[in-house]
Amino acid sequence: MPVIRTPGIVCTVRRHGEHGAVVRLLTPDHGLQSGYVRGGRSTALRPVLMPANLVTAELRSRVNDQLAGLTVELAESRAPFYSEPLVAAAFEWVTLLTATVAPEDQPFSRLYAALAALLDLVCAAPSARWWLRAMVRYEALLLAELGFGLDLERCAVTGGREDLTYVSPRTGRAVSLHAAGVYAEKLLVLPAFMTDDEEPDWEQLMQGFALTGHFIERQFFSDRRADALAARAMLIDRVRRMVG
């Protein structure tokens, strides 16, 4: 692998040895990249290697199958926002999700742009309701980028575009209110903000998380990686506590 110099979003940091760390970054042109940071657990580097931070990275490796050596410089710190429990849970979940399910060395420019925008919004939005909508949409985008996109444009039964109210938990396709009939209770609710620019209320946001969460769990976390969903459960729990 040649030397890669790139901006990157820190996604996960795993201790390696006594002082080092294995770091996974999402980059705009090279996708998810892993590298070993010498001294990554040091006092100087721990504030740099926090999930959601933006860094300038350089990855070097002698051979293609060897873990790259990674050096980083802090470009933008989001450490101050970790003092807010809901924001901290959001950072932890969205970065862990990305690092866990995205394949390495495959460019996902749309995903990088969306994650960067989402993290900026989490830090800048006056209300969590603004960025929670963006997080649901990010989860839906990630599903689509990895080949499991939801089909929310037409009713799976009639082909129409009106009154799309539900989603099939099996196919991920939208279903209209009329077509759902007696099967409505077995379907997932499709909140309006998933298909237009309507501002969601708290109930609709939770419906959005239930929708994307169903497919995220089924497609990505049905095996040994299921423990990662604990970070999502923490986020949802903190949202519910805030709403009351």
Side-chain angles (χ1 to χ4, degrees):
M1 181 184 74
V3 175
I4 295 176
R5 296 181 180 88
T6 178
I9 298 169
V10 178
C11 288
T12 60
V13 181
R14 178 169 55 87
R15 183 169 184 166
H16 187 84
E18 186 174 354
H19 303 293
V22 175
V23 178
R24 304 188 86 185
L25 307 169
L26 185 65
T27 69
D29 300 318
H30 303 280
L32 197 66
Q33 293 287 326
S34 295
Y36 173 75
V37 179
R38 187 182 299 275
R41 301 295 299 170
S42 68
T43 302
L45 282 178
R46 274 182 293 180
V48 177
L49 297 175
M50 295 183 69
N53 277 357
L54 180 65
V55 298
T56 301
E58 183 173 284
L59 295 113
R60 292 176 176 269
S61 181
R62 294 180 180 177
V63 293
N64 289 336
D65 60 351
Q66 182 183 54
L67 184 65
L70 172 63
T71 57
V72 295
E73 293 182 6
L74 183 64
E76 182 177 351
S77 174
R78 295 189 170 100
F81 299 96
Y82 270 87
S83 61
E84 169 55 48
L86 181 59
V87 170
F91 286 165
E92 180 179 358
W93 163 243
V94 75
T95 53
L96 179 60
L97 169 66
T98 304
T100 303
V101 306
E104 291 200 2
D105 302 319
Q106 295 186 26
F108 292 98
S109 57
R110 290 181 63 203
L111 204 61
Y112 178 87
L115 180 58
L118 172 59
L119 295 173
D120 284 343
L121 187 59
V122 171
C123 296
S127 168
R129 200 166 72 179
W130 290 49
W131 59 258
L132 286 167
R133 174 177 64 174
M135 181 163 287
V136 174
R137 287 178 167 175
Y138 177 79
E139 291 184 344
L141 175 63
L142 187 145
L143 283 163
E145 288 289 287
L146 299 186
F148 306 107
L150 306 178
D151 183 355
L152 306 180
E153 294 186 359
R154 294 179 179 273
C155 174
V157 179
T158 67
R161 296 177 179 269
E162 302 298 323
D163 296 322
L164 300 179
T165 310
Y166 300 102
V167 175
S168 165
R170 184 177 63 85
T171 66
R173 300 181 65 188
V175 179
S176 68
L177 179 63
H178 175 73
V182 297
Y183 298 101
E185 292 185 356
K186 297 182 179 180
L187 303 175
L188 297 165
V189 175
L190 173 59
F193 78 91
M194 294 291 289
T195 55
D196 59 32
D197 292 327
E198 182 176 322
E199 185 70 23
D201 58 25
W202 292 110
E203 181 180 4
Q204 291 169 333
L205 283 169
M206 299 312 294
Q207 290 168 345
F209 275 111
L211 174 60
T212 53
H214 170 81
F215 292 100
I216 285 172
E217 183 172 359
R218 190 179 77 172
Q219 301 296 347
F220 303 132
F221 295 106
S222 59
D223 55 14
R224 64 187 183 281
R225 299 178 296 184
D227 289 346
L229 285 175
R232 192 177 196 271
M234 179 181 294
L235 171 63
I236 300 300
D237 181 64
R238 289 181 178 176
V239 173
R240 286 176 175 153
R241 290 184 183 183
M242 180 182 64
V243 175

